[in-house]
Amino acid sequence: VNLKRLDLDYNKLGGPECEFPDLSKLVNLEQLDLNDNPDLEGDLMSVRRSQKLLFISIHNTKFSGIVPQVLGSNASKLQVLTFHNTKIQGGVPESICNLLLDKGGKLHHLMASCTMECSCCTECHSDEGDDDDKKNSGSKSKKSF
């Protein structure tokens, strides 16, 4: 399949009748933009072998699971990765951190939830309902590392 860009942000996707598709056959995929679909469930396993990905934005979704270690090895051209306000567990693998500009990679924007273990994130966001959000009158709190 020759699809390079899948941009479905702000489309109210998700719910019980919406099953997230397997994206592993989209070998030419460069941009995956699914953010701000608060009921959309899925995981990053279906893109873990994608080698052409430049941009992954899945924040403000119900994506769960982990950030696969192999994603950092395969998506060596990755420039943007945002996954704050999701249900993703664990930390950011070292293979993702190694993609940062200061380590010779192309990744310049790595944003996760402030509660995640991430020694290399360029920015973190407090998830909705966090104490930080309440301290900031409901606005999203941005913190730099």
Side-chain angles (χ1 to χ4, degrees), residues 38-95:
D39 295 322
L40 183 62
E41 297 180 20
D43 61 47
L44 287 172
M45 296 307 283
S46 68
V47 295
R48 71 185 180 277
R49 288 186 168 68
S50 299
Q51 296 184 358
K52 296 185 179 181
L53 276 168
L54 305 173
F55 181 97
I56 301 173
S57 180
I58 58 167
H59 60 275
N60 299 329
T61 65
K62 288 185 180 176
F63 265 60
S64 59
I66 62 167
V67 178
Q69 176 81 19
V70 71
L71 181 63
S73 303
N74 288 332
S76 61
K77 298 176 184 175
L78 197 61
Q79 298 172 13
V80 173
L81 175 58
T82 65
F83 56 94
H84 56 282
N85 199 17
T86 64
K87 294 183 176 188
I88 292 177
Q89 301 288 314
V92 175
E94 193 63 29
S95 64

Side-chain angles (χ1 to χ4, degrees), residues 8-14 33-42 56-64 82-88 111-113 125-129 133 139-142:
L8 297 171
D9 61 338
Y10 295 97
N11 272 289
K12 298 182 183 178
L13 298 175
D33 192 353
L34 301 172
N35 65 282
D36 292 293
N37 286 293
D39 295 322
L40 183 62
E41 297 180 20
I56 301 173
S57 180
I58 58 167
H59 60 275
N60 299 329
T61 65
K62 288 185 180 176
F63 265 60
S64 59
T82 65
F83 56 94
H84 56 282
N85 199 17
T86 64
K87 294 183 176 188
I88 292 177
M111 190 181 309
S113 297
H125 265 248
S126 294
D127 293 342
E128 289 186 66
D133 282 338
S139 64
K140 293 215 184 289
S141 173
K142 291 184 180 180

Side-chain angles (χ1 to χ4, degrees), residues 76-122:
S76 61
K77 298 176 184 175
L78 197 61
Q79 298 172 13
V80 173
L81 175 58
T82 65
F83 56 94
H84 56 282
N85 199 17
T86 64
K87 294 183 176 188
I88 292 177
Q89 301 288 314
V92 175
E94 193 63 29
S95 64
I96 298 290
C97 294
N98 289 336
L99 299 177
L100 286 166
L101 287 173
D102 63 353
K103 295 192 177 187
K106 298 183 184 322
L107 186 62
H108 59 83
H109 193 74
L110 176 57
M111 190 181 309
S113 297
C114 293
T115 56
M116 286 190 77
E117 290 182 35
C118 184
S119 63
C120 63
C121 287
T122 57

